[in-house]
Each structure stands twice: as C-alpha cells, then as structure tokens.
Amino acid sequence: MTSLHTTQVRRRRLGVAAAAAGLFAALLTAGPAAATPDPGDSSATRTGLSAAQEAVATAAIEDGEIPGVDEIVHSDNITPLVNIPKDALKGLNTDLAFQGKYAFAGNYDGFRIYDISNPRSPKTVTQVLCPGSQNDISVSGNLLFLSTDSSRSDNSCASTTQPATEKSSWEGMKIFDISDKRNPKYVAAVETACGSHTHTLVPGRSSVYVYVSSYSPNETFPDCQPPHDGISVIKVPRKAPEQAEIVNFPVLFPDGGNPGAPTNPGVSKTTGCHDITVLPSKDLAAGACMGDGLLFSIKDPENPKIIDRVQDNVNFAFWHSATFNQKADKVVFTDELGGGGAATCNEEIGPKRGADGIYDIVGKGDHRKLVFRSYFKIDRPQAATEVCVAHNGSIIPVKGRDLMVQAWYQGGVSVWDFTDSSAPKEIGYFERGPVSLDAVTTAGPWSAYYYNGYIYSNDIAKGFDVLKLDDRRTDPAKRVRMPELNVQTQPDYFDR
C-alpha cells in the first residue's frame, strides 16, 4: 500500500500540446481499431517520441497545463484515499466486480480479491494466477467468471500461449467457485468461438446466462471462422457449474454489420460485439459492437431480440461499451478511438472523437429507437505521450439525476452529469500525470466504478485506487447499498 501525495491544480483548458498533436496522427491511421490491449499476454508496446515531442510535453508540465510525471491531481470534491500497487500479478490490470465486502480485480495474469470492508485500507485476500487476456471478470453468488481472449495451449491456469491457427488452441470462459474467498476453485470451462473478450451475466435463480462478446474472425483460425456475426450464450446451472454449455449463438447482424473501411473510412468493420450491458429489470440490453450500437430485448435471455441499431460513421471508430441511465430512457456508448493505444485527448482529435455518445431511447416496446443527442469528452488536456480515450464506467445512483463515473485511461477518472442529454458536463476528476515523457504507453484507469459510497478504479499500471466523492449532487448515492455489482449487469438501484 502506498500513500498518496496530492496536488491541486487549476482547471485546465483544452488547447495545450496542440503542436504535438499532429505528430501523433500516425497512431490513428486507417485500419480498424482493435480494443486494446490486443489479444496476447504481453504488455502493450511503447511508441517512442522525438526530442521535439518530449520538449512540448515538458513545457506543458512547466507551465502547469498538465501534471508532472506520476503527479496526482484532482478536483476539490474528490479525495484519493489509497493506492495498492500490483503484487504477484504483473500483467495489465483490467475490469472490476463487487460482492459484499469484496472487490474482484481482473489482470492479464489472473485475478485478485480485496477485502474492502474498510475502503481506506483494503486488504488482499488472495491472488490467483491464471494467464489469458483479458480476464474480464464478474461474480454471481458463489461463482466467478473469467474471460480468456488469447489462444492458449489448453483451458488450464497453467496453459501457455499458442497460435490461433492451431486447432488444439483454447480460449473462452472459465468459471470458479468462490464460496471460500481465500481459496477459489476452478470448476468449469467453456470454449467459445473467437474466445471471450468480454462477457455479461443475466442471472436467474437456478442458472446464470453468460453473453460472450468476441470478434475479429480469420479464415486461418479453425475456431474463429468468418462470418462471426453474433454472440455466444452460455447457460450455467448454479448447483452444477461443471455442466455449463453454449445454448445459442444468436445472429445479431444478418446483413453483416457495418462494413467499415473503405465504405466508412476510419470505422471498424463489425465482426462481433465488444461489450454488452444488460438491464434485467427492464428486459433490455445495449450492445457496443465495433461499428454498430444495438438496443435489444432480453425477455427470453436465450434468444435476445434486436429492437434498434445505430451507426456513427463520422465520429465513432470503435463502439466499445454501453451504460443505461436508471430510467432506461438513455444509453451512453463509448468510442475507443485508437484501440486504447493512442493519445486522443488533444485539439487535433477534438471533442467528438474518442468520446461518449449519448442517445435517448424514444418510443415504446419493440418500436423504441436510439436517438443521438450529444457527445461528452473530458476537456482536460493530456500530454502527447498519454493514451486517453473513453473507457469503462458506471452510474452513480441518485434519483432524478443521470450521473456517471468513468475511466479514461491516462485521462484519469471523470465524474460527469448527463441529466440533460444534450448538454453533459464534468463535475469532478482524478488523474495522474504521464507515466513517461519519451513514449506513448498504455496506462491509467481501465475501469472506474461507484460501489457503496466509494469510487474504485483499477489502474492498468499503477494498481487499485479508492476515491472518496463528496458533492451535494452525488451525496444521496451514499445511502444506496448493493449486495453485489457487475457493472455490465446494471441493477435497479431503487426498486429492491
């Protein structure tokens, strides 16, 4: 555990580092954006910079426009409480899930369980070594689910990297029994086409359905053949998880989805989904599917039904994730421009790319439509070495308001208000300065979620952060207590 030295700085205006922005255009060229880090077990590569680029970043720090290397800055309404660095698991930190007094943190090398009964002093309960990117994680009852999106020699936690061109390679879903948090037991595995980049739970009393999102098929991959135009649906009996099996592969894009370039330059071709968020209380789901955004019904969880589909071929490169508001009359979609591997928070890219897209849901039943209202992007400029793009976040539960906390990689953690979907605004932030001034490096918060009165963030490079948010606009959320939270399985916070 490390203490946090914090420094308050003035609100900064977008405009700094403009001279360097153009030099990074090469990082955002043509091909489809892949969600980063790309499938594999190694850390993200570092892209070196010129002396001129380093000089621009250094000058911006000296002028106070951006924080110094690893310097922590934050708004007055956010207090950093603690940071816990990586320990046995040295890979990239990824997603988070929560249950009772525990937080579950994914990592490319496995997962880590924290006791957060005292949020100011979390304790490590256990660390499980089980390599396989990206180890997207969720929990339900006594079960923990882990996505594997890299080709492995087998489905064990002792597997090694193996080419996807080999038929014997394995990737998919792993399932653990966590009834004993200190000793999780690996109980089942289900291989899925093209692996499992992310997954989403639709819990029931006797079984849990798992929607598996994956993409990028290739004719040379025996277990990931094109077309890959849907999702795998796994049914997991709670009392017999070893009987987990695929029960459907619904086709979501009968027309093949967004064709991407050259028809739509700079847009990813749709070959599956990146992430799905479900709202079981409303029988709804929203899918972020590379070049397409989806709204669908999950009244029959084995057979999701498409209600509406939208594209943004002007400003969205890669539809990455989705978040409903509490009333289910809005969806926030994120665009992971550059695949999480480029500096995109600058004047060159602008405020509409690598941003959130806010859509209203209008109409009723199967006639509902997604209607675009606005974009939201943090306006705090980042160094040209900092990977910064919209990433994973969650609702902050306050009646009558639409509030969200969100990770932006090295753009840090942002708290923002989209109650007026046409005029969103940031109301709080936390961030670290650049990891480096001589190379573009993937780092910063992968996920930032609100759970039982605190913000928890899993920083790709720096570890697990706990933040305290004190603001009259968000304070009512402190009274909302949840027994369990998987952000991609959004709860009804007020009807329990």
PDB file of all heavy atoms in Angstrom, residues 370-407:
ATOM      1  N   LEU A 370     -33.128   4.512 -30.815  1.00  0.00           N
ATOM      2  CA  LEU A 370     -31.996   5.242 -30.246  1.00  0.00           C
ATOM      3  C   LEU A 370     -31.822   6.536 -31.024  1.00  0.00           C
ATOM      4  O   LEU A 370     -31.614   6.512 -32.242  1.00  0.00           O
ATOM      5  CB  LEU A 370     -30.719   4.399 -30.334  1.00  0.00           C
ATOM      6  CG  LEU A 370     -30.673   3.143 -29.460  1.00  0.00           C
ATOM      7  CD1 LEU A 370     -29.537   2.222 -29.905  1.00  0.00           C
ATOM      8  CD2 LEU A 370     -30.500   3.517 -27.991  1.00  0.00           C
ATOM      9  N   VAL A 371     -31.906   7.661 -30.308  1.00  0.00           N
ATOM     10  CA  VAL A 371     -31.811   8.972 -30.953  1.00  0.00           C
ATOM     11  C   VAL A 371     -30.617   9.718 -30.382  1.00  0.00           C
ATOM     12  O   VAL A 371     -30.559  10.000 -29.182  1.00  0.00           O
ATOM     13  CB  VAL A 371     -33.099   9.791 -30.744  1.00  0.00           C
ATOM     14  CG1 VAL A 371     -32.972  11.163 -31.393  1.00  0.00           C
ATOM     15  CG2 VAL A 371     -34.305   9.041 -31.309  1.00  0.00           C
ATOM     16  N   PHE A 372     -29.664  10.050 -31.245  1.00  0.00           N
ATOM     17  CA  PHE A 372     -28.451  10.735 -30.786  1.00  0.00           C
ATOM     18  C   PHE A 372     -28.762  12.132 -30.261  1.00  0.00           C
ATOM     19  O   PHE A 372     -29.541  12.878 -30.855  1.00  0.00           O
ATOM     20  CB  PHE A 372     -27.451  10.844 -31.938  1.00  0.00           C
ATOM     21  CG  PHE A 372     -26.231  11.665 -31.588  1.00  0.00           C
ATOM     22  CD1 PHE A 372     -25.225  11.140 -30.803  1.00  0.00           C
ATOM     23  CD2 PHE A 372     -26.122  12.984 -32.025  1.00  0.00           C
ATOM     24  CE1 PHE A 372     -24.117  11.903 -30.457  1.00  0.00           C
ATOM     25  CE2 PHE A 372     -25.020  13.751 -31.688  1.00  0.00           C
ATOM     26  CZ  PHE A 372     -24.011  13.205 -30.902  1.00  0.00           C
ATOM     27  N   ARG A 373     -28.102  12.500 -29.126  1.00  0.00           N
ATOM     28  CA  ARG A 373     -28.286  13.836 -28.547  1.00  0.00           C
ATOM     29  C   ARG A 373     -26.984  14.636 -28.497  1.00  0.00           C
ATOM     30  O   ARG A 373     -26.974  15.817 -28.828  1.00  0.00           O
ATOM     31  CB  ARG A 373     -28.874  13.722 -27.138  1.00  0.00           C
ATOM     32  CG  ARG A 373     -30.289  13.177 -27.092  1.00  0.00           C
ATOM     33  CD  ARG A 373     -31.251  13.998 -27.927  1.00  0.00           C
ATOM     34  NE  ARG A 373     -32.635  13.538 -27.781  1.00  0.00           N
ATOM     35  CZ  ARG A 373     -33.578  13.759 -28.668  1.00  0.00           C
ATOM     36  NH1 ARG A 373     -33.306  14.425 -29.779  1.00  0.00           N
ATOM     37  NH2 ARG A 373     -34.809  13.319 -28.463  1.00  0.00           N
ATOM     38  N   SER A 374     -25.872  14.014 -28.036  1.00  0.00           N
ATOM     39  CA  SER A 374     -24.641  14.808 -27.896  1.00  0.00           C
ATOM     40  C   SER A 374     -23.459  13.889 -27.636  1.00  0.00           C
ATOM     41  O   SER A 374     -23.612  12.677 -27.424  1.00  0.00           O
ATOM     42  CB  SER A 374     -24.771  15.814 -26.747  1.00  0.00           C
ATOM     43  OG  SER A 374     -24.847  15.136 -25.505  1.00  0.00           O
ATOM     44  N   TYR A 375     -22.271  14.519 -27.637  1.00  0.00           N
ATOM     45  CA  TYR A 375     -21.035  13.840 -27.249  1.00  0.00           C
ATOM     46  C   TYR A 375     -20.548  14.404 -25.917  1.00  0.00           C
ATOM     47  O   TYR A 375     -20.803  15.556 -25.581  1.00  0.00           O
ATOM     48  CB  TYR A 375     -19.934  14.059 -28.290  1.00  0.00           C
ATOM     49  CG  TYR A 375     -20.239  13.515 -29.661  1.00  0.00           C
ATOM     50  CD1 TYR A 375     -20.637  14.359 -30.692  1.00  0.00           C
ATOM     51  CD2 TYR A 375     -20.122  12.153 -29.928  1.00  0.00           C
ATOM     52  CE1 TYR A 375     -20.920  13.869 -31.960  1.00  0.00           C
ATOM     53  CE2 TYR A 375     -20.390  11.643 -31.198  1.00  0.00           C
ATOM     54  CZ  TYR A 375     -20.797  12.508 -32.198  1.00  0.00           C
ATOM     55  OH  TYR A 375     -21.066  12.010 -33.455  1.00  0.00           O
ATOM     56  N   PHE A 376     -19.827  13.579 -25.173  1.00  0.00           N
ATOM     57  CA  PHE A 376     -19.118  14.071 -23.985  1.00  0.00           C
ATOM     58  C   PHE A 376     -17.690  13.565 -24.028  1.00  0.00           C
ATOM     59  O   PHE A 376     -17.441  12.372 -24.241  1.00  0.00           O
ATOM     60  CB  PHE A 376     -19.768  13.597 -22.683  1.00  0.00           C
ATOM     61  CG  PHE A 376     -18.913  13.896 -21.472  1.00  0.00           C
ATOM     62  CD1 PHE A 376     -18.843  15.188 -20.972  1.00  0.00           C
ATOM     63  CD2 PHE A 376     -18.139  12.908 -20.873  1.00  0.00           C
ATOM     64  CE1 PHE A 376     -18.026  15.486 -19.881  1.00  0.00           C
ATOM     65  CE2 PHE A 376     -17.329  13.189 -19.785  1.00  0.00           C
ATOM     66  CZ  PHE A 376     -17.271  14.485 -19.287  1.00  0.00           C
ATOM     67  N   LYS A 377     -16.765  14.491 -23.813  1.00  0.00           N
ATOM     68  CA  LYS A 377     -15.352  14.122 -23.733  1.00  0.00           C
ATOM     69  C   LYS A 377     -14.687  15.030 -22.715  1.00  0.00           C
ATOM     70  O   LYS A 377     -15.003  16.226 -22.633  1.00  0.00           O
ATOM     71  CB  LYS A 377     -14.675  14.284 -25.101  1.00  0.00           C
ATOM     72  CG  LYS A 377     -13.235  13.757 -25.143  1.00  0.00           C
ATOM     73  CD  LYS A 377     -12.694  13.800 -26.562  1.00  0.00           C
ATOM     74  CE  LYS A 377     -11.280  13.235 -26.632  1.00  0.00           C
ATOM     75  NZ  LYS A 377     -10.765  13.234 -28.023  1.00  0.00           N
ATOM     76  N   ILE A 378     -13.791  14.480 -21.909  1.00  0.00           N
ATOM     77  CA  ILE A 378     -13.105  15.314 -20.922  1.00  0.00           C
ATOM     78  C   ILE A 378     -12.345  16.423 -21.645  1.00  0.00           C
ATOM     79  O   ILE A 378     -11.769  16.208 -22.712  1.00  0.00           O
ATOM     80  CB  ILE A 378     -12.155  14.488 -20.029  1.00  0.00           C
ATOM     81  CG1 ILE A 378     -11.072  13.784 -20.865  1.00  0.00           C
ATOM     82  CG2 ILE A 378     -12.932  13.477 -19.202  1.00  0.00           C
ATOM     83  CD1 ILE A 378     -10.000  13.103 -20.016  1.00  0.00           C
ATOM     84  N   ASP A 379     -12.365  17.629 -21.062  1.00  0.00           N
ATOM     85  CA  ASP A 379     -11.682  18.755 -21.714  1.00  0.00           C
ATOM     86  C   ASP A 379     -10.374  19.096 -21.007  1.00  0.00           C
ATOM     87  O   ASP A 379      -9.822  20.169 -21.207  1.00  0.00           O
ATOM     88  CB  ASP A 379     -12.593  19.978 -21.786  1.00  0.00           C
ATOM     89  CG  ASP A 379     -12.974  20.528 -20.413  1.00  0.00           C
ATOM     90  OD1 ASP A 379     -12.584  19.914 -19.399  1.00  0.00           O
ATOM     91  OD2 ASP A 379     -13.659  21.563 -20.360  1.00  0.00           O
ATOM     92  N   ARG A 380      -9.912  18.177 -20.182  1.00  0.00           N
ATOM     93  CA  ARG A 380      -8.606  18.369 -19.541  1.00  0.00           C
ATOM     94  C   ARG A 380      -7.530  17.829 -20.475  1.00  0.00           C
ATOM     95  O   ARG A 380      -7.483  16.624 -20.741  1.00  0.00           O
ATOM     96  CB  ARG A 380      -8.563  17.629 -18.191  1.00  0.00           C
ATOM     97  CG  ARG A 380      -9.457  18.253 -17.139  1.00  0.00           C
ATOM     98  CD  ARG A 380      -9.609  17.382 -15.895  1.00  0.00           C
ATOM     99  NE  ARG A 380     -10.478  16.233 -16.127  1.00  0.00           N
ATOM    100  CZ  ARG A 380     -10.076  14.995 -16.220  1.00  0.00           C
ATOM    101  NH1 ARG A 380      -8.797  14.697 -16.129  1.00  0.00           N
ATOM    102  NH2 ARG A 380     -10.936  14.013 -16.409  1.00  0.00           N
ATOM    103  N   PRO A 381      -6.654  18.669 -21.000  1.00  0.00           N
ATOM    104  CA  PRO A 381      -5.673  18.209 -21.985  1.00  0.00           C
ATOM    105  C   PRO A 381      -4.668  17.241 -21.363  1.00  0.00           C
ATOM    106  O   PRO A 381      -4.342  17.319 -20.187  1.00  0.00           O
ATOM    107  CB  PRO A 381      -4.976  19.490 -22.435  1.00  0.00           C
ATOM    108  CG  PRO A 381      -5.132  20.416 -21.269  1.00  0.00           C
ATOM    109  CD  PRO A 381      -6.471  20.102 -20.681  1.00  0.00           C
ATOM    110  N   GLN A 382      -4.204  16.332 -22.184  1.00  0.00           N
ATOM    111  CA  GLN A 382      -3.235  15.320 -21.755  1.00  0.00           C
ATOM    112  C   GLN A 382      -1.955  15.474 -22.566  1.00  0.00           C
ATOM    113  O   GLN A 382      -1.962  15.992 -23.685  1.00  0.00           O
ATOM    114  CB  GLN A 382      -3.817  13.922 -21.959  1.00  0.00           C
ATOM    115  CG  GLN A 382      -5.187  13.724 -21.316  1.00  0.00           C
ATOM    116  CD  GLN A 382      -5.166  13.892 -19.813  1.00  0.00           C
ATOM    117  OE1 GLN A 382      -4.353  13.285 -19.126  1.00  0.00           O
ATOM    118  NE2 GLN A 382      -6.072  14.712 -19.298  1.00  0.00           N
ATOM    119  N   ALA A 383      -0.874  14.990 -22.012  1.00  0.00           N
ATOM    120  CA  ALA A 383       0.388  15.020 -22.751  1.00  0.00           C
ATOM    121  C   ALA A 383       0.280  14.141 -23.985  1.00  0.00           C
ATOM    122  O   ALA A 383      -0.515  13.202 -24.037  1.00  0.00           O
ATOM    123  CB  ALA A 383       1.527  14.520 -21.852  1.00  0.00           C
ATOM    124  N   ALA A 384       1.089  14.460 -24.971  1.00  0.00           N
ATOM    125  CA  ALA A 384       1.059  13.686 -26.211  1.00  0.00           C
ATOM    126  C   ALA A 384       1.563  12.262 -26.021  1.00  0.00           C
ATOM    127  O   ALA A 384       1.493  11.448 -26.933  1.00  0.00           O
ATOM    128  CB  ALA A 384       1.892  14.392 -27.277  1.00  0.00           C
ATOM    129  N   THR A 385       2.092  11.953 -24.849  1.00  0.00           N
ATOM    130  CA  THR A 385       2.526  10.588 -24.535  1.00  0.00           C
ATOM    131  C   THR A 385       1.436   9.782 -23.852  1.00  0.00           C
ATOM    132  O   THR A 385       1.620   8.594 -23.599  1.00  0.00           O
ATOM    133  CB  THR A 385       3.749  10.630 -23.594  1.00  0.00           C
ATOM    134  OG1 THR A 385       3.412  11.370 -22.416  1.00  0.00           O
ATOM    135  CG2 THR A 385       4.936  11.256 -24.272  1.00  0.00           C
ATOM    136  N   GLU A 386       0.292  10.414 -23.519  1.00  0.00           N
ATOM    137  CA  GLU A 386      -0.712   9.748 -22.708  1.00  0.00           C
ATOM    138  C   GLU A 386      -1.854   9.156 -23.540  1.00  0.00           C
ATOM    139  O   GLU A 386      -2.599   9.877 -24.188  1.00  0.00           O
ATOM    140  CB  GLU A 386      -1.301  10.738 -21.689  1.00  0.00           C
ATOM    141  CG  GLU A 386      -0.312  11.174 -20.638  1.00  0.00           C
ATOM    142  CD  GLU A 386      -0.952  12.091 -19.607  1.00  0.00           C
ATOM    143  OE1 GLU A 386      -1.114  13.286 -19.902  1.00  0.00           O
ATOM    144  OE2 GLU A 386      -1.287  11.605 -18.516  1.00  0.00           O
ATOM    145  N   VAL A 387      -1.980   7.836 -23.479  1.00  0.00           N
ATOM    146  CA  VAL A 387      -3.147   7.182 -24.063  1.00  0.00           C
ATOM    147  C   VAL A 387      -4.371   7.652 -23.295  1.00  0.00           C
ATOM    148  O   VAL A 387      -4.435   7.556 -22.078  1.00  0.00           O
ATOM    149  CB  VAL A 387      -3.016   5.654 -23.974  1.00  0.00           C
ATOM    150  CG1 VAL A 387      -4.331   4.978 -24.344  1.00  0.00           C
ATOM    151  CG2 VAL A 387      -1.893   5.167 -24.871  1.00  0.00           C
ATOM    152  N   CYS A 388      -5.343   8.203 -23.992  1.00  0.00           N
ATOM    153  CA  CYS A 388      -6.523   8.765 -23.340  1.00  0.00           C
ATOM    154  C   CYS A 388      -7.715   8.581 -24.257  1.00  0.00           C
ATOM    155  O   CYS A 388      -7.708   9.047 -25.400  1.00  0.00           O
ATOM    156  CB  CYS A 388      -6.303  10.252 -23.038  1.00  0.00           C
ATOM    157  SG  CYS A 388      -7.777  11.109 -22.434  1.00  0.00           S
ATOM    158  N   VAL A 389      -8.747   7.879 -23.769  1.00  0.00           N
ATOM    159  CA  VAL A 389      -9.936   7.630 -24.564  1.00  0.00           C
ATOM    160  C   VAL A 389     -11.043   7.160 -23.629  1.00  0.00           C
ATOM    161  O   VAL A 389     -10.786   6.665 -22.526  1.00  0.00           O
ATOM    162  CB  VAL A 389      -9.639   6.569 -25.651  1.00  0.00           C
ATOM    163  CG1 VAL A 389      -9.481   5.175 -25.047  1.00  0.00           C
ATOM    164  CG2 VAL A 389     -10.694   6.561 -26.746  1.00  0.00           C
ATOM    165  N   ALA A 390     -12.310   7.321 -24.036  1.00  0.00           N
ATOM    166  CA  ALA A 390     -13.443   6.886 -23.231  1.00  0.00           C
ATOM    167  C   ALA A 390     -13.361   5.393 -22.955  1.00  0.00           C
ATOM    168  O   ALA A 390     -13.138   4.594 -23.868  1.00  0.00           O
ATOM    169  CB  ALA A 390     -14.752   7.219 -23.953  1.00  0.00           C
ATOM    170  N   HIS A 391     -13.566   5.008 -21.679  1.00  0.00           N
ATOM    171  CA  HIS A 391     -13.499   3.588 -21.328  1.00  0.00           C
ATOM    172  C   HIS A 391     -14.586   3.249 -20.314  1.00  0.00           C
ATOM    173  O   HIS A 391     -15.651   3.854 -20.305  1.00  0.00           O
ATOM    174  CB  HIS A 391     -12.089   3.213 -20.841  1.00  0.00           C
ATOM    175  CG  HIS A 391     -11.656   1.860 -21.281  1.00  0.00           C
ATOM    176  ND1 HIS A 391     -11.386   0.826 -20.402  1.00  0.00           N
ATOM    177  CD2 HIS A 391     -11.462   1.359 -22.521  1.00  0.00           C
ATOM    178  CE1 HIS A 391     -11.037  -0.253 -21.091  1.00  0.00           C
ATOM    179  NE2 HIS A 391     -11.071   0.036 -22.391  1.00  0.00           N
ATOM    180  N   ASN A 392     -14.351   2.282 -19.436  1.00  0.00           N
ATOM    181  CA  ASN A 392     -15.414   1.699 -18.613  1.00  0.00           C
ATOM    182  C   ASN A 392     -15.834   2.587 -17.445  1.00  0.00           C
ATOM    183  O   ASN A 392     -14.983   3.099 -16.715  1.00  0.00           O
ATOM    184  CB  ASN A 392     -14.968   0.345 -18.057  1.00  0.00           C
ATOM    185  CG  ASN A 392     -14.788  -0.697 -19.133  1.00  0.00           C
ATOM    186  OD1 ASN A 392     -15.084  -0.461 -20.298  1.00  0.00           O
ATOM    187  ND2 ASN A 392     -14.299  -1.864 -18.757  1.00  0.00           N
ATOM    188  N   GLY A 393     -17.155   2.708 -17.241  1.00  0.00           N
ATOM    189  CA  GLY A 393     -17.674   3.486 -16.127  1.00  0.00           C
ATOM    190  C   GLY A 393     -19.006   2.955 -15.665  1.00  0.00           C
ATOM    191  O   GLY A 393     -19.542   1.980 -16.211  1.00  0.00           O
ATOM    192  N   SER A 394     -19.576   3.602 -14.645  1.00  0.00           N
ATOM    193  CA  SER A 394     -20.846   3.144 -14.078  1.00  0.00           C
ATOM    194  C   SER A 394     -21.709   4.323 -13.647  1.00  0.00           C
ATOM    195  O   SER A 394     -21.220   5.430 -13.417  1.00  0.00           O
ATOM    196  CB  SER A 394     -20.608   2.231 -12.874  1.00  0.00           C
ATOM    197  OG  SER A 394     -20.238   2.979 -11.731  1.00  0.00           O
ATOM    198  N   ILE A 395     -23.004   4.038 -13.498  1.00  0.00           N
ATOM    199  CA  ILE A 395     -23.947   5.011 -12.973  1.00  0.00           C
ATOM    200  C   ILE A 395     -23.643   5.290 -11.495  1.00  0.00           C
ATOM    201  O   ILE A 395     -23.250   4.394 -10.743  1.00  0.00           O
ATOM    202  CB  ILE A 395     -25.383   4.465 -13.105  1.00  0.00           C
ATOM    203  CG1 ILE A 395     -25.805   4.472 -14.581  1.00  0.00           C
ATOM    204  CG2 ILE A 395     -26.376   5.257 -12.275  1.00  0.00           C
ATOM    205  CD1 ILE A 395     -25.897   5.852 -15.189  1.00  0.00           C
ATOM    206  N   ILE A 396     -23.816   6.537 -11.081  1.00  0.00           N
ATOM    207  CA  ILE A 396     -23.831   6.902  -9.660  1.00  0.00           C
ATOM    208  C   ILE A 396     -25.303   7.069  -9.297  1.00  0.00           C
ATOM    209  O   ILE A 396     -25.977   7.959  -9.828  1.00  0.00           O
ATOM    210  CB  ILE A 396     -23.052   8.202  -9.406  1.00  0.00           C
ATOM    211  CG1 ILE A 396     -21.585   8.028  -9.829  1.00  0.00           C
ATOM    212  CG2 ILE A 396     -23.127   8.595  -7.933  1.00  0.00           C
ATOM    213  CD1 ILE A 396     -20.762   9.302  -9.739  1.00  0.00           C
ATOM    214  N   PRO A 397     -25.861   6.210  -8.420  1.00  0.00           N
ATOM    215  CA  PRO A 397     -27.308   6.162  -8.227  1.00  0.00           C
ATOM    216  C   PRO A 397     -27.879   7.313  -7.408  1.00  0.00           C
ATOM    217  O   PRO A 397     -27.827   7.318  -6.182  1.00  0.00           O
ATOM    218  CB  PRO A 397     -27.511   4.823  -7.506  1.00  0.00           C
ATOM    219  CG  PRO A 397     -26.227   4.572  -6.792  1.00  0.00           C
ATOM    220  CD  PRO A 397     -25.155   5.152  -7.655  1.00  0.00           C
ATOM    221  N   VAL A 398     -28.421   8.300  -8.110  1.00  0.00           N
ATOM    222  CA  VAL A 398     -29.096   9.441  -7.484  1.00  0.00           C
ATOM    223  C   VAL A 398     -30.420   9.644  -8.201  1.00  0.00           C
ATOM    224  O   VAL A 398     -30.440   9.829  -9.427  1.00  0.00           O
ATOM    225  CB  VAL A 398     -28.245  10.721  -7.574  1.00  0.00           C
ATOM    226  CG1 VAL A 398     -29.019  11.917  -7.027  1.00  0.00           C
ATOM    227  CG2 VAL A 398     -26.927  10.550  -6.820  1.00  0.00           C
ATOM    228  N   LYS A 399     -31.529   9.616  -7.467  1.00  0.00           N
ATOM    229  CA  LYS A 399     -32.843   9.803  -8.082  1.00  0.00           C
ATOM    230  C   LYS A 399     -32.953  11.182  -8.728  1.00  0.00           C
ATOM    231  O   LYS A 399     -32.543  12.179  -8.139  1.00  0.00           O
ATOM    232  CB  LYS A 399     -33.946   9.635  -7.045  1.00  0.00           C
ATOM    233  CG  LYS A 399     -34.186   8.191  -6.628  1.00  0.00           C
ATOM    234  CD  LYS A 399     -35.389   8.082  -5.699  1.00  0.00           C
ATOM    235  CE  LYS A 399     -35.670   6.631  -5.351  1.00  0.00           C
ATOM    236  NZ  LYS A 399     -36.858   6.484  -4.470  1.00  0.00           N
ATOM    237  N   GLY A 400     -33.505  11.197  -9.918  1.00  0.00           N
ATOM    238  CA  GLY A 400     -33.740  12.464 -10.597  1.00  0.00           C
ATOM    239  C   GLY A 400     -32.551  13.002 -11.361  1.00  0.00           C
ATOM    240  O   GLY A 400     -32.670  14.025 -12.031  1.00  0.00           O
ATOM    241  N   ARG A 401     -31.399  12.338 -11.266  1.00  0.00           N
ATOM    242  CA  ARG A 401     -30.211  12.784 -11.992  1.00  0.00           C
ATOM    243  C   ARG A 401     -29.582  11.607 -12.733  1.00  0.00           C
ATOM    244  O   ARG A 401     -29.694  10.461 -12.305  1.00  0.00           O
ATOM    245  CB  ARG A 401     -29.158  13.375 -11.045  1.00  0.00           C
ATOM    246  CG  ARG A 401     -29.469  14.768 -10.526  1.00  0.00           C
ATOM    247  CD  ARG A 401     -28.304  15.269  -9.684  1.00  0.00           C
ATOM    248  NE  ARG A 401     -28.507  16.617  -9.189  1.00  0.00           N
ATOM    249  CZ  ARG A 401     -28.148  17.723  -9.824  1.00  0.00           C
ATOM    250  NH1 ARG A 401     -27.568  17.644 -11.002  1.00  0.00           N
ATOM    251  NH2 ARG A 401     -28.365  18.912  -9.287  1.00  0.00           N
ATOM    252  N   ASP A 402     -28.907  11.924 -13.829  1.00  0.00           N
ATOM    253  CA  ASP A 402     -28.120  10.934 -14.555  1.00  0.00           C
ATOM    254  C   ASP A 402     -26.651  11.301 -14.373  1.00  0.00           C
ATOM    255  O   ASP A 402     -26.140  12.237 -15.005  1.00  0.00           O
ATOM    256  CB  ASP A 402     -28.503  10.928 -16.036  1.00  0.00           C
ATOM    257  CG  ASP A 402     -29.934  10.472 -16.245  1.00  0.00           C
ATOM    258  OD1 ASP A 402     -30.379   9.574 -15.500  1.00  0.00           O
ATOM    259  OD2 ASP A 402     -30.610  11.006 -17.149  1.00  0.00           O
ATOM    260  N   LEU A 403     -25.999  10.568 -13.481  1.00  0.00           N
ATOM    261  CA  LEU A 403     -24.609  10.830 -13.116  1.00  0.00           C
ATOM    262  C   LEU A 403     -23.779   9.577 -13.375  1.00  0.00           C
ATOM    263  O   LEU A 403     -24.261   8.455 -13.196  1.00  0.00           O
ATOM    264  CB  LEU A 403     -24.504  11.211 -11.638  1.00  0.00           C
ATOM    265  CG  LEU A 403     -25.332  12.420 -11.194  1.00  0.00           C
ATOM    266  CD1 LEU A 403     -25.375  12.509  -9.679  1.00  0.00           C
ATOM    267  CD2 LEU A 403     -24.748  13.697 -11.793  1.00  0.00           C
ATOM    268  N   MET A 404     -22.542   9.792 -13.752  1.00  0.00           N
ATOM    269  CA  MET A 404     -21.700   8.664 -14.119  1.00  0.00           C
ATOM    270  C   MET A 404     -20.265   8.925 -13.705  1.00  0.00           C
ATOM    271  O   MET A 404     -19.787  10.061 -13.737  1.00  0.00           O
ATOM    272  CB  MET A 404     -21.779   8.437 -15.638  1.00  0.00           C
ATOM    273  CG  MET A 404     -21.113   7.180 -16.135  1.00  0.00           C
ATOM    274  SD  MET A 404     -21.507   6.884 -17.888  1.00  0.00           S
ATOM    275  CE  MET A 404     -20.437   5.477 -18.223  1.00  0.00           C
ATOM    276  N   VAL A 405     -19.571   7.858 -13.315  1.00  0.00           N
ATOM    277  CA  VAL A 405     -18.120   7.915 -13.122  1.00  0.00           C
ATOM    278  C   VAL A 405     -17.510   7.039 -14.206  1.00  0.00           C
ATOM    279  O   VAL A 405     -18.062   5.987 -14.546  1.00  0.00           O
ATOM    280  CB  VAL A 405     -17.704   7.444 -11.715  1.00  0.00           C
ATOM    281  CG1 VAL A 405     -18.157   6.011 -11.439  1.00  0.00           C
ATOM    282  CG2 VAL A 405     -16.194   7.547 -11.542  1.00  0.00           C
ATOM    283  N   GLN A 406     -16.390   7.487 -14.761  1.00  0.00           N
ATOM    284  CA  GLN A 406     -15.854   6.806 -15.934  1.00  0.00           C
ATOM    285  C   GLN A 406     -14.338   6.867 -15.972  1.00  0.00           C
ATOM    286  O   GLN A 406     -13.723   7.865 -15.598  1.00  0.00           O
ATOM    287  CB  GLN A 406     -16.429   7.457 -17.194  1.00  0.00           C
ATOM    288  CG  GLN A 406     -16.076   6.756 -18.491  1.00  0.00           C
ATOM    289  CD  GLN A 406     -16.767   7.390 -19.677  1.00  0.00           C
ATOM    290  OE1 GLN A 406     -17.489   8.371 -19.561  1.00  0.00           O
ATOM    291  NE2 GLN A 406     -16.561   6.820 -20.852  1.00  0.00           N
ATOM    292  N   ALA A 407     -13.748   5.769 -16.448  1.00  0.00           N
ATOM    293  CA  ALA A 407     -12.300   5.704 -16.657  1.00  0.00           C
ATOM    294  C   ALA A 407     -11.953   6.222 -18.051  1.00  0.00           C
ATOM    295  O   ALA A 407     -12.679   5.977 -19.020  1.00  0.00           O
ATOM    296  CB  ALA A 407     -11.807   4.268 -16.499  1.00  0.00           C
TER     297      ALA A 407
END
